[in-house]
Amino acid sequence: MSAEFRSMRRLRDGQARGTAPGLDREKVAKDFAAAVNMDPDELAEWLGSPLSETVGWKGTDGQARESVGHASGRRIVTILRKASTDLTDDDYAHMRKVVGYVRRHLAQEPANVVTSRWRYSLMNWGHDPLKTM
């Protein structure tokens, strides 16, 4: 089904564009706050470091300029700097994606956490595992 068709169907069914039916904003915000343990300035500084660019998926050919996680980190900084009343459904959807990523990857903890690609990747997503150790 095409995106245009889905959009038209949502509008026909009375859903505004960009809304997520059944989205529990309070739960998403709570889970996001628990998953993201870096403040926006700290995360922005990390994203500006060369190490932050050494990890993450950069497309099927590995040639994308920025990894998915690095781009996500920039979006997380924007979300963290917004007032909660200014957050959109798209922001909440991204927050939910971040929570899922952090939870999945925390379950894969390596033996060497401090200088691991695992830690650097999680930090791109706003979570520094050393803060919880």
Side-chain angles (χ1 to χ4, degrees):
M1 178 183 319
S2 75
E4 182 179 15
F5 180 79
R6 284 192 305 271
S7 178
M8 288 170 40
R9 191 172 72 189
R10 278 196 314 266
L11 292 173
R12 181 199 71 208
D13 294 343
Q15 295 176 349
R17 183 181 302 261
T19 62
L23 181 69
D24 184 346
R25 287 181 168 211
E26 188 175 317
K27 179 173 179 0
V28 171
K30 180 182 171 192
D31 292 345
F32 181 78
V36 175
N37 65 2
M38 296 171 76
D39 67 48
D41 293 335
E42 180 181 22
L43 179 53
E45 183 178 343
W46 163 252
L47 293 171
S49 75
L51 280 177
S52 74
E53 296 176 5
T54 64
V55 296
W57 188 72
K58 295 185 178 182
T60 55
D61 63 1
Q63 299 302 310
R65 185 165 179 252
E66 182 178 40
S67 73
V68 172
H70 200 273
S72 175
R74 289 186 302 101
R75 178 129 189 233
I76 293 165
V77 169
T78 300
I79 289 169
L80 290 171
R81 289 183 173 155
K82 281 186 176 183
S84 61
T85 55
D86 294 334
L87 294 172
T88 66
D89 280 343
D90 285 341
D91 292 330
Y92 281 98
H94 190 73
M95 291 162 68
R96 188 168 46 189
K97 180 179 179 178
V98 170
V99 170
Y101 181 90
V102 170
R103 285 180 178 167
R104 281 190 314 276
H105 285 77
L106 283 175
Q108 302 170 9
E109 183 176 332
N112 172 17
V113 172
V114 177
T115 59
S116 67
R117 294 175 55 82
W118 173 82
R119 176 182 177 225
Y120 298 158
S121 182
L122 276 166
M123 289 174 69
N124 280 353
W125 288 79
H127 182 87
D128 183 351
L130 292 185
K131 289 186 171 191
T132 58
M133 298 184 127

